Amino acid sequence: DQQVKQNSPSLSVQEGRISILNCDYTNSMFDYFLWYKKYPAEGPTFLISISSIKDKNEDGRFTVFLNKSAKHLSLHIVPSQPGDSAVYFCAASVDFPGTYKYIFGTGTRLKVLA
Amino acid sequence: ETGVTQSPTHLIKTRGQQVTLRCSSQSGHNTVSWYQQALGQGPQFIFQYYREEENGRGNFPPRFSGLQFPNYSSELNVNALELDDSALYLCASSLASGGGAKNIQYFGAGTRLSVL
């Protein structure tokens, strides 16, 4: 039962354009959402997060949008740069109970073309 | 401030053997979580340790066990290795065991385990 889904395994975008990565979830108990970026041979690097009580969070070129009614979040990268090429994972945090675990999607491989 | 470090980087074992993976948490972090990432999948939660006690476990059998030490470093032990245990094992540390912005989990580079 995949509670967090990233339906696009890969995405290619021209340098300077917007990259939009999408994530859907099924569990309404998730209270915090995160995006991680992963380069080959490295661990996931925290990128940006959003609480379930908000609908938008922005950090520089990165913006995360949360639509709770649709159980959907997205990551916008503007403008996209070649160094953004990586695998992006969305994750949802849930009280397990008593401990918070992250449930990850399967990832989207972003390729930014120069 | 040092980040999360894991050792070894790579490991090859045969079916039935036992393995121990190690993790040093980020400075100031008292909570360590372990995840298994199979090829083409996202990381899956194995368990979490908070102040040397197991604080939650995912859907993994008892042959996956762990320890946390007084300096908050941690070990993941897997007994009776199976071929399906081949994966990247990731350790993440956080300030405490709660959720939200205060306790974001920061990951190490992982240990790649191959079981032959």
PDB file of all heavy atoms in Angstrom, chain B residues 7-20:
ATOM      1  N   SER B   7      29.219   3.844   8.188  1.00  0.00           N
ATOM      2  CA  SER B   7      30.289   2.936   7.760  1.00  0.00           C
ATOM      3  C   SER B   7      29.802   1.493   7.852  1.00  0.00           C
ATOM      4  O   SER B   7      28.941   1.167   8.683  1.00  0.00           O
ATOM      5  CB  SER B   7      31.535   3.132   8.626  1.00  0.00           C
ATOM      6  OG  SER B   7      31.255   2.812   9.978  1.00  0.00           O
ATOM      7  N   PRO B   8      30.314   0.621   6.987  1.00  0.00           N
ATOM      8  CA  PRO B   8      31.163   0.947   5.846  1.00  0.00           C
ATOM      9  C   PRO B   8      30.341   1.520   4.696  1.00  0.00           C
ATOM     10  O   PRO B   8      29.123   1.604   4.791  1.00  0.00           O
ATOM     11  CB  PRO B   8      31.732  -0.431   5.466  1.00  0.00           C
ATOM     12  CG  PRO B   8      30.642  -1.391   5.829  1.00  0.00           C
ATOM     13  CD  PRO B   8      30.000  -0.816   7.079  1.00  0.00           C
ATOM     14  N   THR B   9      30.996   1.891   3.633  1.00  0.00           N
ATOM     15  CA  THR B   9      30.309   2.443   2.464  1.00  0.00           C
ATOM     16  C   THR B   9      29.659   1.326   1.661  1.00  0.00           C
ATOM     17  O   THR B   9      28.522   1.468   1.194  1.00  0.00           O
ATOM     18  CB  THR B   9      31.310   3.196   1.577  1.00  0.00           C
ATOM     19  OG1 THR B   9      32.007   4.131   2.376  1.00  0.00           O
ATOM     20  CG2 THR B   9      30.589   3.908   0.458  1.00  0.00           C
ATOM     21  N   HIS B  10      30.405   0.259   1.491  1.00  0.00           N
ATOM     22  CA  HIS B  10      29.923  -0.904   0.752  1.00  0.00           C
ATOM     23  C   HIS B  10      30.245  -2.171   1.526  1.00  0.00           C
ATOM     24  O   HIS B  10      31.225  -2.220   2.273  1.00  0.00           O
ATOM     25  CB  HIS B  10      30.599  -1.018  -0.623  1.00  0.00           C
ATOM     26  CG  HIS B  10      30.269   0.097  -1.544  1.00  0.00           C
ATOM     27  ND1 HIS B  10      30.998   1.254  -1.605  1.00  0.00           N
ATOM     28  CD2 HIS B  10      29.275   0.229  -2.468  1.00  0.00           C
ATOM     29  CE1 HIS B  10      30.482   2.058  -2.517  1.00  0.00           C
ATOM     30  NE2 HIS B  10      29.444   1.460  -3.055  1.00  0.00           N
ATOM     31  N   LEU B  11      29.430  -3.184   1.325  1.00  0.00           N
ATOM     32  CA  LEU B  11      29.613  -4.445   2.037  1.00  0.00           C
ATOM     33  C   LEU B  11      29.039  -5.570   1.187  1.00  0.00           C
ATOM     34  O   LEU B  11      27.949  -5.432   0.619  1.00  0.00           O
ATOM     35  CB  LEU B  11      28.852  -4.368   3.355  1.00  0.00           C
ATOM     36  CG  LEU B  11      29.262  -5.203   4.552  1.00  0.00           C
ATOM     37  CD1 LEU B  11      30.743  -5.109   4.833  1.00  0.00           C
ATOM     38  CD2 LEU B  11      28.475  -4.739   5.775  1.00  0.00           C
ATOM     39  N   ILE B  12      29.779  -6.664   1.107  1.00  0.00           N
ATOM     40  CA  ILE B  12      29.278  -7.844   0.402  1.00  0.00           C
ATOM     41  C   ILE B  12      29.234  -8.999   1.385  1.00  0.00           C
ATOM     42  O   ILE B  12      30.236  -9.295   2.053  1.00  0.00           O
ATOM     43  CB  ILE B  12      30.168  -8.202  -0.807  1.00  0.00           C
ATOM     44  CG1 ILE B  12      30.183  -7.052  -1.805  1.00  0.00           C
ATOM     45  CG2 ILE B  12      29.657  -9.478  -1.476  1.00  0.00           C
ATOM     46  CD1 ILE B  12      31.132  -7.260  -2.967  1.00  0.00           C
ATOM     47  N   LYS B  13      28.088  -9.632   1.485  1.00  0.00           N
ATOM     48  CA  LYS B  13      27.906 -10.759   2.389  1.00  0.00           C
ATOM     49  C   LYS B  13      27.233 -11.892   1.625  1.00  0.00           C
ATOM     50  O   LYS B  13      26.677 -11.693   0.530  1.00  0.00           O
ATOM     51  CB  LYS B  13      27.020 -10.358   3.574  1.00  0.00           C
ATOM     52  CG  LYS B  13      27.668  -9.365   4.534  1.00  0.00           C
ATOM     53  CD  LYS B  13      28.677 -10.048   5.409  1.00  0.00           C
ATOM     54  CE  LYS B  13      29.232  -9.134   6.477  1.00  0.00           C
ATOM     55  NZ  LYS B  13      30.199  -9.846   7.361  1.00  0.00           N
ATOM     56  N   THR B  14      27.262 -13.079   2.219  1.00  0.00           N
ATOM     57  CA  THR B  14      26.550 -14.203   1.618  1.00  0.00           C
ATOM     58  C   THR B  14      25.310 -14.513   2.452  1.00  0.00           C
ATOM     59  O   THR B  14      25.218 -14.163   3.648  1.00  0.00           O
ATOM     60  CB  THR B  14      27.435 -15.444   1.505  1.00  0.00           C
ATOM     61  OG1 THR B  14      27.949 -15.751   2.811  1.00  0.00           O
ATOM     62  CG2 THR B  14      28.598 -15.190   0.559  1.00  0.00           C
ATOM     63  N   ARG B  15      24.379 -15.170   1.807  1.00  0.00           N
ATOM     64  CA  ARG B  15      23.106 -15.522   2.447  1.00  0.00           C
ATOM     65  C   ARG B  15      23.350 -16.294   3.743  1.00  0.00           C
ATOM     66  O   ARG B  15      24.219 -17.163   3.796  1.00  0.00           O
ATOM     67  CB  ARG B  15      22.286 -16.367   1.474  1.00  0.00           C
ATOM     68  CG  ARG B  15      20.835 -16.478   1.822  1.00  0.00           C
ATOM     69  CD  ARG B  15      20.070 -17.111   0.687  1.00  0.00           C
ATOM     70  NE  ARG B  15      20.721 -18.305   0.183  1.00  0.00           N
ATOM     71  CZ  ARG B  15      20.270 -19.033  -0.839  1.00  0.00           C
ATOM     72  NH1 ARG B  15      19.173 -18.648  -1.475  1.00  0.00           N
ATOM     73  NH2 ARG B  15      20.909 -20.111  -1.231  1.00  0.00           N
ATOM     74  N   GLY B  16      22.634 -15.941   4.796  1.00  0.00           N
ATOM     75  CA  GLY B  16      22.770 -16.611   6.082  1.00  0.00           C
ATOM     76  C   GLY B  16      23.730 -15.926   7.052  1.00  0.00           C
ATOM     77  O   GLY B  16      23.669 -16.172   8.261  1.00  0.00           O
ATOM     78  N   GLN B  17      24.575 -15.050   6.519  1.00  0.00           N
ATOM     79  CA  GLN B  17      25.518 -14.353   7.389  1.00  0.00           C
ATOM     80  C   GLN B  17      24.825 -13.234   8.167  1.00  0.00           C
ATOM     81  O   GLN B  17      23.645 -12.920   7.962  1.00  0.00           O
ATOM     82  CB  GLN B  17      26.667 -13.768   6.566  1.00  0.00           C
ATOM     83  CG  GLN B  17      27.690 -14.799   6.116  1.00  0.00           C
ATOM     84  CD  GLN B  17      28.906 -14.129   5.487  1.00  0.00           C
ATOM     85  OE1 GLN B  17      28.774 -13.269   4.614  1.00  0.00           O
ATOM     86  NE2 GLN B  17      30.091 -14.538   5.920  1.00  0.00           N
ATOM     87  N   GLN B  18      25.588 -12.630   9.062  1.00  0.00           N
ATOM     88  CA  GLN B  18      25.110 -11.515   9.866  1.00  0.00           C
ATOM     89  C   GLN B  18      25.917 -10.269   9.497  1.00  0.00           C
ATOM     90  O   GLN B  18      27.088 -10.376   9.090  1.00  0.00           O
ATOM     91  CB  GLN B  18      25.286 -11.849  11.351  1.00  0.00           C
ATOM     92  CG  GLN B  18      24.846 -10.780  12.313  1.00  0.00           C
ATOM     93  CD  GLN B  18      25.985  -9.863  12.752  1.00  0.00           C
ATOM     94  OE1 GLN B  18      27.146 -10.207  12.621  1.00  0.00           O
ATOM     95  NE2 GLN B  18      25.642  -8.699  13.259  1.00  0.00           N
ATOM     96  N   VAL B  19      25.315  -9.093   9.648  1.00  0.00           N
ATOM     97  CA  VAL B  19      26.017  -7.863   9.293  1.00  0.00           C
ATOM     98  C   VAL B  19      25.696  -6.773  10.325  1.00  0.00           C
ATOM     99  O   VAL B  19      24.599  -6.753  10.904  1.00  0.00           O
ATOM    100  CB  VAL B  19      25.625  -7.398   7.870  1.00  0.00           C
ATOM    101  CG1 VAL B  19      24.167  -6.902   7.824  1.00  0.00           C
ATOM    102  CG2 VAL B  19      26.551  -6.306   7.375  1.00  0.00           C
ATOM    103  N   THR B  20      26.670  -5.915  10.565  1.00  0.00           N
ATOM    104  CA  THR B  20      26.475  -4.755  11.443  1.00  0.00           C
ATOM    105  C   THR B  20      26.854  -3.490  10.686  1.00  0.00           C
ATOM    106  O   THR B  20      27.958  -3.396  10.152  1.00  0.00           O
ATOM    107  CB  THR B  20      27.338  -4.864  12.712  1.00  0.00           C
ATOM    108  OG1 THR B  20      26.925  -6.011  13.458  1.00  0.00           O
ATOM    109  CG2 THR B  20      27.159  -3.627  13.583  1.00  0.00           C
TER     110      THR B  20
END
